[in-house]
Amino acid sequence: MTSTPVPTPASAPVVPPPALSARAASTGGSPVREILALTERPGVVSFAGGLPAPELFDAAGLRASYEAVFAASAGRALQYSTTEGVPELRGAVAGRATARGLATDADDVLVTSGSQQALALVVTALVEPGDAVLVENPTYLAALQAFRLAGARVVPVPCDDEGILPDALAEAVARERPKLLYTVPTFQNPTGRTLPAARRAAVAAIAARRGLWLVEDDPYGELRYEGADVPWLAAHPGAEDRTALLGSFSKVMAPGLRLGWLRVPRALRRAVVVAKQAADLHTSTVDQLAAAHYLAGADLDAHVAGVRDAYRVRRDALLAGLGQALPAGSSWNRPEGGMFVWARLPEGRDAAALLTSAIAHDVAFVPGAPFFAASPDPRTLRLSFTTHTPQEIGTGLVRLGRAARSRA
Ligand code: PMP
């Protein structure tokens, strides 16, 4: 009997493995992450990151909750659990959403590994390569990445200082026949702006009339420093059966928990659960139980009130000094909440060039251009005010002023 000799490594031709998917190959990493790496030097006052202030985490309270769930049943806390999430946390999320004016049942809620995963699951459930997806311009960078990775055609909807222009949305829907509109209507990342209630009603009506899914991403809504709450887009007539509402514990508890949630319309439920099974089976059992324990026993609302008080002072410190720091003729907004102020340099100035000079002066921000799905405005920039004390913010603004003048 003869057998084929196995080729020796020296004689065998080496064939490279097959290529990456076209979508993976063509979707870039986040330019903002590269900027953040530059700002991690000690001593830099960074307005670049979108990070919650770590000294405000309720570390003792969360630690006590982890200890309590281990004491109650380590076997359960460390075991596999259901894809949809542990009942205690789904119930707590539903209770909080209902208290905010959107009647929600525990069955409507899927617990996710950060709200970023909720977005990925909705995209998997809805988007085919080539489908049009509408977004605000500018919008959240990692959402742009998620849509591009799915092979979507990302189409920006014209916006003004209050967000989406409903007439422009109606026109884009008629023209593009999109699958969904992705929106961050409250204290948006990167602009900090909030869509007024009347426009939310108009967006919901357009979605109902034209047949459109809505993806409402709301990680910042509870961080309001002044003014009255605006009801979720999901709560407006027409939006009820077609809005995937994404929430997060990252900004009100801690982002390292990686806990988010999705309030999912009935028609999408099975598809997102299957997508989550394929992605990670379920979100960490112990983290979910600890968060549920915390929500049941600690006063999250009181904790968030403290965070809001601290962030309000930081926002005010940034706004108070920005006029001295930015070149004459700059403009900026005054968000009522969230983590970001959005600014625009005068004609002829470029935010990326200012950043180079700013980093040399030990201060940083993020240029706005990468957040645009199309027609980037190189004069824009995003400034986050959450991670530094008012004194440090003052120091950062003095440095920013020097950086701006050094390029005048
Ligand atoms: N959406 C927006 C608009 C965000 O800004 C962020 C985080 N910066 C996320 C989603 C993701 O948040 P999470 O930590 O819940 O995944």
Side-chain angles (χ1 to χ4, degrees):
M1 208 172 98
T2 58
S3 63
T4 318
V6 176
T8 61
S11 63
V14 175
V15 180
L20 297 179
S21 72
R23 285 171 285 167
S26 66
T27 305
S30 157
V32 173
R33 296 217 169 268
E34 285 157 28
I35 292 164
L36 293 184
L38 288 177
T39 64
E40 271 163 16
R41 252 185 309 129
V44 172
V45 176
S46 180
F47 302 120
L51 306 181
E55 72 278 14
L56 301 179
F57 297 151
D58 182 7
L62 287 168
R63 181 180 178 161
S65 288
Y66 274 89
E67 278 167 6
V69 300
F70 271 97
S73 174
R76 182 179 176 216
L78 298 174
Q79 189 53 280
Y80 283 118
S81 53
T82 54
T83 299
E84 289 84 348
V86 303
E88 295 93 322
L89 188 55
R90 297 174 80 195
V93 167
R96 290 181 68 81
T98 303
R100 282 177 71 182
L102 184 61
T104 302
D105 195 76
D107 287 344
D108 300 327
V109 174
L110 175 71
V111 177
T112 56
S113 302
S115 62
Q116 189 68 33
Q117 186 189 42
L119 179 61
L121 300 178
V122 170
V123 169
T124 302
L126 290 178
V127 177
E128 315 266 16
D131 278 348
V133 163
L134 300 183
V135 297
E136 288 148 345
N137 203 31
T139 190
Y140 173 49
L141 205 58
L144 288 176
Q145 272 180 327
F147 296 134
R148 286 178 181 144
L149 263 181
R153 210 155 42 80
V154 179
V155 180
V157 180
C159 295
D160 66 8
D161 291 348
E162 295 186 319
I164 287 181
L165 294 160
D167 288 348
L169 173 67
E171 195 270 316
V173 175
R175 190 184 65 235
E176 305 286 346
R177 306 248 134 253
K179 266 284 170 62
L180 61 88
L181 166 71
Y182 169 77
T183 169
V184 187
T186 309
F187 313 136
Q188 197 226 23
N189 181 1
T191 61
R193 64 196 176 198
T194 292
L195 193 70
R199 287 202 198 176
R200 294 180 190 221
V203 168
I206 291 165
R209 219 173 41 238
R210 301 272 190 179
L212 181 70
W213 290 102
L214 297 172
V215 180
E216 178 175 19
D217 191 2
D218 184 35
Y220 303 108
E222 289 182 80
L223 299 180
R224 175 173 281 283
Y225 315 129
E226 63 185 48
D229 282 335
V230 186
W232 273 313
L233 180 54
H236 287 83
E240 304 92 340
D241 65 340
R242 63 194 59 226
T243 306
L245 173 63
L246 280 52
S248 177
F249 288 108
S250 290
K251 310 302 184 315
V252 292
M253 269 192 206
L257 294 168
R258 305 309 302 129
L259 286 174
W261 50 267
L262 174 60
R263 181 184 185 274
V264 60
R266 194 168 292 278
L268 256 187
R269 203 163 292 174
R270 197 175 159 278
V272 292
V273 170
V274 170
K276 181 156 170 73
Q277 266 163 15
D280 66 353
L281 301 182
H282 66 79
T283 293
S284 155
T285 313
V286 60
D287 296 336
Q288 292 188 64
L289 288 175
H293 181 275
Y294 187 90
L295 287 168
D299 188 345
L300 180 64
D301 293 328
H303 171 70
V304 175
V307 172
R308 276 198 295 260
D309 287 345
Y311 286 173
R312 182 186 302 110
V313 174
R314 294 173 188 205
R315 177 203 62 173
D316 291 347
L318 181 69
L319 291 172
L322 215 45
Q324 297 296 314
L326 293 178
S330 299
S331 56
W332 58 91
N333 61 1
R334 187 178 189 284
E336 293 188 335
M339 296 174 57
F340 308 110
V341 168
W342 184 246
R344 189 158 191 253
L345 302 175
E347 184 76 47
R349 297 293 296 249
D350 178 87
L354 178 59
L355 176 64
T356 306
S357 165
I359 288 173
H361 286 80
D362 284 339
V363 61
F365 57 83
V366 180
F371 297 95
F372 287 81
S375 322
D377 181 346
R379 288 160 55 190
T380 54
L381 55 143
R382 186 192 79 176
L383 296 127
S384 156
F385 50 79
T386 48
T387 32
H388 289 289
T389 63
Q391 290 73 19
E392 289 163 346
I393 289 171
T395 304
L397 289 171
V398 169
R399 293 177 188 172
L400 186 58
R402 286 196 196 116
R405 283 189 295 279
S406 76
R407 294 197 39 83

